[in-house]
Amino acid sequence: MKPIGQQKKEKAQEAPAQLDCACFTCPSQEACKAAQEAEKTAPVEEKIDFSNVEIEPLFQDFVDFETFSKSDFRAVKVLACEAVPKSKKLLKFTLDDGTGEPRTILSGIHAFYEPEQLIGKTCVAITNLPPRPMMGIESCGMLLSAVHQENGEERLNLLQLDPHIPAGAKLY
Amino acid sequence: MKPIGQQKKEKAQEAPAQLDCACFTCPSQEACKAAQEAEKTAPVEEKIDFSNVEIEPLFQDFVDFETFSKSDFRAVKVLACEAVPKSKKLLKFTLDDGTGEPRTILSGIHAFYEPEQLIGKTCVAITNLPPRPMMGIESCGMLLSAVHQENGEERLNLLQLDPHIPAGAKLY
């Protein structure tokens, strides 16, 4: 289950390195490119196989709206991300939460992502959990991931939002 | 602030309708297309202007982890979406929440989206709020959107996730 962007990149790398197509010298190359661009932006139906997916049963207990509203969820931008020394799981995120003060959050997702993949991404954090020290670093909140099982294995997707959503945008 | 997909589509529509480029008849058209695909999948840095953004101040009060954990957040797939008759704001969503039983949620976001734009999208819902009747329809939960102000105007982005995330995946 690779991110879509990565799949595209791999596909692109299969393209021949050297080309002798007449298109590259023809006078209307720009128009040609534009036409192919138009073709490419047509919606592509990708079949995703969810047949081996298992999810945790939904909660039976209700939560009242007031309790739900006590948590402060925000869009955050990943300014920096690095592995925590001596930890197999933890990544240390430096985040823009819209306040102007960088926020540090630790997340145990190194088994699923390399830190450099995540820089610049727009994610979701709960920002008002009490700070909690982990491996000597204070984690100020939690980044949200979507978790399921597939073929008996845990799969995790860090939530990633449209980059047009600004840091600090509140989730309702 | 249009979704990226929409911006691309508009750009594509500017392409000339008729073309007489040699590329379309040359023998290595496939290779040519592949090369241009490769060029296109190179990362494009888009400058997004966040200078006029205002966000709601972050909560000062902490929430304990147990309180936060009472809310059940899930990835959901939009099976159907339609405007609620006689309502200016409400959209009625029929959602796959992974249980096999369709879930109905009403959301007051018609000012920001047309229902047909949202069909098939992967969104985020809190699924254990008590059902609440709205305009005679029972809404079973809430879809999450990111909200901010821009030039004094409210902007709203319905959270949309990677389509590879299955319905019912739990958010942690």
Side-chain angles (χ1 to χ4, degrees):
Chain A
M1 193 162 68
K2 289 169 188 166
I4 308 172
Q6 200 181 322
Q7 290 180 344
K8 273 194 197 153
K9 214 176 282 171
E10 284 172 5
K11 205 175 172 184
Q13 282 164 355
E14 288 163 24
Q18 284 293 328
L19 293 162
D20 55 356
C21 170
C23 175
F24 281 82
T25 52
C26 79
S28 55
Q29 186 179 333
E30 284 314 307
C32 163
K33 276 193 182 179
Q36 294 191 1
E37 173 77 21
E39 194 182 330
K40 244 153 245 143
T41 51
V44 177
E45 279 284 337
E46 183 199 353
K47 281 271 171 204
I48 305 174
D49 180 13
F50 290 123
S51 59
N52 297 310
V53 162
E54 270 175 75
I55 59 157
E56 189 182 314
L58 269 65
F59 287 10
Q60 296 297 315
D61 291 341
F62 288 128
V63 63
D64 59 280
F65 192 80
E66 202 196 320
T67 302
F68 153 68
S69 303
K70 283 179 181 162
S71 300
D72 196 9
F73 296 98
R74 302 286 173 154
V76 292
K77 308 266 177 188
V78 180
L79 300 172
C81 183
E82 57 192 83
V84 172
K86 297 183 192 169
S87 166
K88 278 188 186 164
K89 287 188 176 181
L90 286 175
L91 294 181
K92 178 189 166 196
F93 291 82
T94 307
L95 302 162
D96 177 2
D97 64 6
T99 62
E101 283 292 306
R103 172 181 296 267
T104 300
I105 291 182
L106 271 63
S107 187
I109 62 172
H110 200 170
F112 302 94
Y113 294 96
E114 288 309 314
E116 53 276 14
Q117 287 178 270
L118 300 174
I119 294 164
K121 301 295 183 195
T122 304
C123 299
V124 175
I126 164 166
T127 52
N128 67 334
L129 286 173
R132 185 181 153 203
M134 295 158 90
M135 303 285 289
I137 304 166
E138 199 154 77
S139 180
C140 298
M142 198 175 112
L143 284 169
L144 292 195
S145 292
V147 177
H148 71 280
Q149 300 264 330
E150 210 163 320
N151 299 315
E153 233 176 82
E154 188 180 67
R155 301 291 182 100
L156 180 147
N157 287 276
L158 182 68
L159 294 203
Q160 296 183 33
L161 306 181
D162 182 332
H164 292 86
I165 297 176
K170 181 155 173 61
L171 270 50
Y172 289 102
Chain B
M1 192 163 68
K2 288 170 190 165
I4 307 172
Q6 199 181 324
Q7 290 179 343
K8 272 194 198 153
K9 214 175 281 172
E10 284 171 4
K11 207 177 172 186
Q13 282 163 355
E14 290 164 23
Q18 284 293 329
L19 293 161
D20 54 357
C21 170
C23 175
F24 282 82
T25 54
C26 82
S28 55
Q29 185 178 333
E30 283 314 306
C32 162
K33 277 191 182 182
Q36 294 191 2
E37 174 76 21
E39 193 181 330
K40 245 152 244 143
T41 51
V44 177
E45 279 284 337
E46 182 199 355
K47 282 271 171 203
I48 305 175
D49 180 13
F50 290 123
S51 58
N52 297 311
V53 162
E54 272 174 75
I55 58 157
E56 189 182 312
L58 268 64
F59 287 10
Q60 296 296 315
D61 291 341
F62 289 128
V63 64
D64 60 279
F65 191 81
E66 201 196 320
T67 303
F68 153 67
S69 302
K70 283 180 181 162
S71 300
D72 196 9
F73 296 99
R74 302 285 173 153
V76 291
K77 308 266 178 188
V78 180
L79 300 172
C81 183
E82 56 193 85
V84 172
K86 296 182 190 168
S87 166
K88 278 187 187 165
K89 286 187 176 179
L90 286 175
L91 294 181
K92 178 190 166 194
F93 291 82
T94 307
L95 302 163
D96 177 1
D97 63 6
T99 62
E101 282 293 305
R103 172 181 295 269
T104 301
I105 292 183
L106 271 64
S107 187
I109 62 172
H110 200 171
F112 302 94
Y113 294 97
E114 288 308 315
E116 53 274 17
Q117 287 179 269
L118 300 174
I119 294 165
K121 301 296 183 193
T122 304
C123 299
V124 175
I126 165 167
T127 52
N128 68 335
L129 287 172
R132 185 181 152 205
M134 294 159 92
M135 303 285 290
I137 304 165
E138 200 155 74
S139 180
C140 298
M142 198 174 112
L143 284 169
L144 293 195
S145 293
V147 177
H148 70 281
Q149 300 264 330
E150 208 161 323
N151 298 315
E153 234 176 82
E154 188 180 65
R155 300 292 182 100
L156 179 147
N157 287 275
L158 182 68
L159 294 204
Q160 295 182 35
L161 306 181
D162 183 333
H164 292 86
I165 298 175
K170 180 154 173 64
L171 270 51
Y172 289 101

